[in-house]
Amino acid sequence: MERALIFGGLSPQGFPLSEILLEKGLQVVSLSTALNEDERQSEDERELFLGRNALFQIEKAAPEAFDYLFLTDMIRPSPKSNARLKEKWIKMFLPHPPAVPKSSVLLSSLEICGGNEGRRSESMPVHPRTALGKAADEMESYFAGRLGKAGDVQTVIFRTDLGNFTDRRKGRRTAELMAELAFADFPGSRLEVIHFTDDLQGDPASNRKIKTILRGKIDWL
């Protein structure tokens, strides 16, 4: 049975991904990203929604082996919060050398595009202007650097509107895309940047790359 490790599996962004992966029959291991008591209580409440699912586990450190890695709660507007999340991430992987998964996915923000919000081509340089955009830029660089040292790992940086996760339908749609991107094959490439917007009024070309990659995988895309 394949195993997915989610950093933030009970966070607002990670919870719908946990649900999707469990529905697909994967074992899901969640690492907490809660930084205060309110966030810990929210994680506890989300855990109750999953019920007594034998495939779901909460751990304090990364397991020695897993097939897929998802970082769903690494980007927040506060530099202080981001520094604490980075510290948690490092601490959870210190007990043993990191496993080498088949693929890894970092959930990032389209705000990294800055003044290019209307033209969200993955090939365009980033110009973050907001606190969230700057946090995304910093964390993407850190993430790519860390995983680059882990060996031959297929890595996806998935940029979207993080506000989607306040809406259950949009959150599950976005989570489904993250899961399928982890399962997808990218011949000849070990790092892919992929954009997705769920805004029907947005640039129709903004989802062109993800539609090509996941053609035939998701009916609604």
Side-chain angles (χ1 to χ4, degrees), residues 73-149:
D73 187 18
M74 289 287 282
I75 297 168
R76 302 194 189 185
S78 164
K80 190 173 183 179
S81 294
N82 285 327
R84 291 181 62 194
L85 286 170
K86 196 181 294 185
E87 288 173 5
K88 284 175 73 81
W89 164 257
I90 293 172
K91 183 178 180 180
M92 288 174 174
F93 277 77
L94 275 180
H96 48 73
V100 179
K102 296 177 182 177
S103 64
S104 58
V105 179
L106 170 69
L107 177 63
S108 188
S109 171
L110 281 170
E111 290 191 33
I112 197 173
C113 298
N116 298 321
E117 290 92 341
R119 297 178 60 207
R120 291 168 169 165
S121 168
E122 288 87 348
S123 62
M124 294 183 68
V126 299
H127 297 287
R129 296 181 179 180
T130 65
L132 189 62
K134 292 175 181 178
D137 190 22
E138 177 185 350
M139 202 59 74
E140 284 188 14
S141 298
Y142 173 78
F143 174 74
R146 294 284 296 187
L147 289 178
K149 298 176 182 178

Side-chain angles (χ1 to χ4, degrees), residues 30-47:
S30 174
L31 301 178
S32 173
T33 54
L35 298 180
N36 55 51
E37 187 58 33
D38 286 344
E39 291 182 4
R40 280 188 284 273
Q41 289 182 2
S42 294
E43 286 191 349
D44 290 343
E45 291 170 3
R46 294 187 188 102
E47 183 184 2

Side-chain angles (χ1 to χ4, degrees), residues 3-221:
R3 173 188 280 184
L5 175 63
I6 308 178
F7 186 66
L10 291 173
S11 67
Q13 300 94 323
F15 178 68
L17 177 62
S18 293
E19 289 184 305
I20 292 291
L21 293 174
L22 289 170
E23 290 168 8
K24 291 179 179 293
L26 276 74
Q27 182 182 17
V28 175
V29 178
S30 174
L31 301 178
S32 173
T33 54
L35 298 180
N36 55 51
E37 187 58 33
D38 286 344
E39 291 182 4
R40 280 188 284 273
Q41 289 182 2
S42 294
E43 286 191 349
D44 290 343
E45 291 170 3
R46 294 187 188 102
E47 183 184 2
L48 292 176
F49 281 106
L50 295 178
R52 295 183 179 276
N53 194 320
L55 295 180
F56 184 78
Q57 296 175 284
I58 299 174
E59 299 290 349
K60 293 184 178 180
E64 293 186 4
F66 48 90
D67 298 286
Y68 305 100
L69 172 63
F70 297 90
L71 304 182
T72 62
D73 187 18
M74 289 287 282
I75 297 168
R76 302 194 189 185
S78 164
K80 190 173 183 179
S81 294
N82 285 327
R84 291 181 62 194
L85 286 170
K86 196 181 294 185
E87 288 173 5
K88 284 175 73 81
W89 164 257
I90 293 172
K91 183 178 180 180
M92 288 174 174
F93 277 77
L94 275 180
H96 48 73
V100 179
K102 296 177 182 177
S103 64
S104 58
V105 179
L106 170 69
L107 177 63
S108 188
S109 171
L110 281 170
E111 290 191 33
I112 197 173
C113 298
N116 298 321
E117 290 92 341
R119 297 178 60 207
R120 291 168 169 165
S121 168
E122 288 87 348
S123 62
M124 294 183 68
V126 299
H127 297 287
R129 296 181 179 180
T130 65
L132 189 62
K134 292 175 181 178
D137 190 22
E138 177 185 350
M139 202 59 74
E140 284 188 14
S141 298
Y142 173 78
F143 174 74
R146 294 284 296 187
L147 289 178
K149 298 176 182 178
D152 193 25
V153 181
Q154 178 174 290
T155 302
V156 175
I157 295 176
F158 180 51
R159 297 172 181 162
T160 190
D161 178 2
L162 298 183
N164 286 345
F165 293 95
T166 60
D167 179 280
R168 178 164 174 78
R169 173 180 165 276
K170 288 184 177 182
R172 281 185 59 87
R173 282 161 61 101
T174 306
E176 186 177 4
L177 294 176
M178 279 194 288
E180 291 298 335
L181 286 172
F183 304 151
D185 186 28
F186 301 93
S189 175
R190 306 316 296 167
L191 175 63
E192 289 286 341
V193 176
I194 298 172
H195 292 182
F196 171 69
T197 176
D198 209 8
D199 180 6
L200 298 180
Q201 304 301 318
D203 178 6
S206 61
N207 292 337
R208 185 174 297 157
K209 183 174 181 179
I210 194 169
K211 286 181 177 179
T212 300
I213 293 170
L214 299 184
R215 182 176 289 120
K217 301 286 187 180
I218 298 179
D219 295 337
W220 54 263
L221 185 62

